[in-house]
Structures are given as structure tokens and as C-alpha cells.
Amino acid sequence: MADIYAAQLNPGKLEVVTEWVAAQDWAADLDLGSAPLEPVTSYRFDDPAGEVGLEVHIVRSGDRHFQVPLSYRGAPLDGADEHLIATMEHSVLGKRWVYAGMGDPVFRQRLDEAIATAGTSAKQFRVDEDGRRIDEITEVAQAFGTGPLPGARDVEMLHRLSLDSPAEGTEGRLLGRWTGQEAAVVLAVMV
């Protein structure tokens, strides 16, 4: 389960996501000046140790949809400087180091596990300043794995999402749905 605080963030998540997307080769054709990124939804995975926040943002620019996996840590991740996107101040948790999710071993492990075990994204709960759960957040995406793909060696997170292509329930995929997107969308694939 993921606990979500009503916190002030500096810089904000959309600002961090936008800066990262703008620097990616796969986004070179985007004109974020005329069609800035807008948040659509997000989903999370659990870190069993409760130390790393694992969140995937789904955003859009015009009618094109993208996803950006991030990890949030309370200290720098050794050997991962190339994956560091930003540091942010969290009004409850303090300074956070924000990494590209696919460069964080905890994120990759949880993504792999969700696909291989037909697992799901984490339930999310609003919490008060003392960490007490107030209520479940249901207006988020639901991601779910389809089981392992025999012989696969890696997982590829899809940054550009195709909302119109049917997502077959084949093995080795992470699929997702959210309000307004009832047909499952392919989010990640085992390769």
C-alpha cells in the first residue's frame, strides 16, 4: 500500500516530469511550448521495505499519451547519478532524490514482479501528517500483470502509450486502465 501525504513539493511533480520528458530522444518531436504536458493519472508499486516511493505518471500533450516512471528516495542511490532527474523538497518527508524509475533497482524489481506474478499496482491511501490512513484514493490508474513470458530476459517500459491498440491478454505484459480509459493499455512488456 502507498501512503500519500497532502504535501507541498518544490519543484512539483509535473515540473520534474516535463523537464525529463523534454530531454528524451523519443520526445524530440513534441512541442511542449504549444501543447504542454498535462497530468492524466498515475499508479504506484509498493516497496516492501517502505523506503522508496515508486510512481508512474501518465501525462498527455495534445492527444498523445506518455508515461514516466519515477522513484523517490530519502538519500542518493549509489552508482545511479546518470538516472538522477532532480531533487525536491517534500514538506513532510524532507529532501527527496528523484530517479528515472527504470534506473532504480527497486522499481525494476517491483515492475518485473508485477508482470511475472500477475500482480497489481499498489492501493493508495491519503494519510494525515501523523501517517494515519484517512481514505483510499480510487481515482488512479490500475495496473496489472499478465504473468511471465518464458525466455524473457528484461522488461521494457513503454514511454509512448497507444490508447487505441487493443491490449491482448498475452503473457509478459503490464496492462492498465483508468477513468476514461476502460480498454486496457499496454504499459510495459517483457522482452
Side-chain angles (χ1 to χ4, degrees):
M1 291 180 232
D3 292 337
I4 310 300
Y5 292 90
Q8 298 298 315
L9 303 173
N10 186 24
K13 290 179 182 179
L14 185 59
E15 186 179 343
V16 170
V17 166
T18 298
E19 186 174 318
W20 186 80
V21 167
Q24 303 309 303
D25 291 340
W26 52 262
D29 62 335
L30 290 178
D31 181 0
L32 296 179
S34 63
L37 291 180
E38 301 173 50
V40 174
T41 190
S42 65
Y43 60 96
R44 288 180 171 258
F45 294 112
D46 282 327
D47 169 17
E51 296 295 320
V52 183
L54 308 170
E55 183 174 38
V56 181
H57 296 269
I58 298 175
V59 295
R60 73 172 168 238
S61 174
D63 62 353
R64 297 162 70 185
H65 288 73
F66 308 93
Q67 69 174 338
V68 178
L70 301 177
S71 66
Y72 308 102
R73 290 177 166 267
L77 176 59
D78 289 339
D81 290 347
E82 68 184 275
H83 302 291
L84 180 66
I85 296 174
T87 57
M88 73 173 37
E89 291 297 327
H90 188 289
S91 62
V92 177
L93 301 175
K95 188 171 186 176
R96 309 301 285 169
W97 282 258
V98 183
Y99 291 90
M102 292 304 283
D104 188 311
V106 174
F107 183 91
R108 290 188 69 94
Q109 188 271 333
R110 299 305 293 165
L111 173 62
D112 289 351
E113 186 174 301
I115 295 173
T117 66
T120 62
S121 52
K123 288 186 177 186
Q124 298 181 45
F125 292 89
R126 287 181 185 85
V127 297
D128 63 20
E129 289 183 8
D130 297 322
R132 291 184 300 253
R133 291 192 175 112
I134 300 168
D135 60 357
E136 184 176 351
I137 302 170
T138 57
E139 61 277 3
V140 292
Q142 301 301 313
F144 49 97
T146 60
L149 178 65
R153 298 181 184 270
D154 201 1
V155 174
E156 178 184 333
M157 175 69 73
L158 304 180
H159 293 292
R160 291 178 177 258
L161 298 178
S162 176
L163 304 187
D164 300 325
S165 299
E168 302 295 327
T170 60
E171 301 166 327
R173 294 183 179 202
L174 183 72
L175 305 177
R177 291 188 183 97
W178 54 89
T179 302
Q181 182 61 43
E182 302 311 315
V185 173
V186 178
L187 304 171
V189 294
M190 288 183 154
V191 291

